[in-house]
Amino acid sequence: MNDQRSSDDEDEPREYSSPACYLHEFESYNRVDSASRIIHATPEKIYRAHMDPQALIVWLPPVGMTGRIEQFEPRVGGTYKMVLTYEQPSVAAKTTESSDSVQGRFVELVPGRRVAQIVTFDSDDAAFAGEMKITWTFMPVPEGTRVEVRCENVPRGIRPEDHAAGLASSLANLAKFCE
């Protein structure tokens, strides 16, 4: 049997039956979004604002949203559930037309230094599926603390410009809360 192919064979469409051929449709989306801000407060105070659910719902929701904590276990391996509600219905909403519901798990807690968590959105839309890692880092600087938030594996459904605005808003709220 001759295995040689003509150049015409290369242009012919082929059918593949192996699911591995379609793997590209299911590859993870590795977008990373980040933001930072200098806050005139100690790293310890900023860390405490992350570990107190009553504080969290004051500063974390971006402008135009409010927050509610339904569960909160601030320890490595501990979980939480938070609902962010838009003041006006939004096309950006992930769970209902006016809310984002998030399940989270703390994966790293270093007092005064870092909070890392894995979050998933409660959504039927595949564009919001998957786990996003959010890491908050607190670095002392002469003016106070440089706070950086880094989001890895951001779901495709979150528009970069919306995410940038939301992160900046949360950082501004955190500054107002802690300063």
Side-chain angles (χ1 to χ4, degrees):
M1 175 174 211
N2 189 343
D3 239 3
Q4 294 180 345
R5 296 179 181 206
S6 72
S7 61
D8 291 340
D9 289 337
E10 294 299 318
D11 295 330
E12 289 181 23
R14 296 189 176 99
E15 285 190 39
Y16 297 99
S17 59
S18 168
C21 295
Y22 302 105
L23 204 51
H24 68 279
E25 295 175 22
F26 303 105
E27 290 175 1
S28 67
Y29 189 62
N30 294 318
R31 190 175 99 208
V32 175
D33 292 348
S34 63
S36 66
R37 180 183 179 119
I38 302 292
I39 297 179
H40 304 287
T42 66
E44 292 76 21
K45 184 173 186 178
I46 294 167
Y47 180 83
R48 285 192 306 272
H50 282 76
M51 294 293 97
D52 177 353
Q54 296 310 310
L56 203 59
I57 61 172
V58 170
W59 68 262
L60 185 64
V63 170
M65 299 183 86
T66 58
R68 180 177 81 244
I69 301 286
E70 295 184 348
Q71 174 188 347
F72 197 76
E73 301 169 328
R75 59 180 173 73
V76 173
T79 59
Y80 66 91
K81 182 173 182 172
M82 181 174 15
V83 178
L84 297 172
T85 303
Y86 293 83
E87 291 171 1
Q88 300 292 321
S90 172
V91 294
K94 298 159 196 65
T95 306
T96 71
E97 71 176 20
S98 62
S99 71
D100 297 344
S101 181
V102 176
Q103 305 276 339
R105 182 177 78 258
F106 293 103
V107 294
E108 184 180 14
L109 297 174
V110 181
R113 300 281 315 245
R114 187 174 23 266
V115 174
Q117 53 205 268
I118 302 293
V119 301
T120 57
F121 292 100
D122 295 334
S123 179
D124 293 332
D125 187 338
F128 299 110
E131 293 185 333
M132 178 171 63
K133 183 177 184 183
I134 304 173
T135 304
W136 295 85
T137 306
F138 320 121
M139 296 158 281
V141 295
E143 307 92 322
T145 303
R146 181 175 187 272
V147 178
E148 180 177 299
V149 57
R150 178 179 167 88
C151 303
E152 300 172 63
N153 200 32
V154 178
R156 285 186 176 99
I158 299 175
R159 294 180 354 174
E161 59 273 20
D162 291 343
H163 207 204
L167 294 174
S169 181
S170 292
L171 284 167
N173 293 342
L174 179 61
K176 187 170 19 171
F177 183 83
C178 290
E179 294 179 336

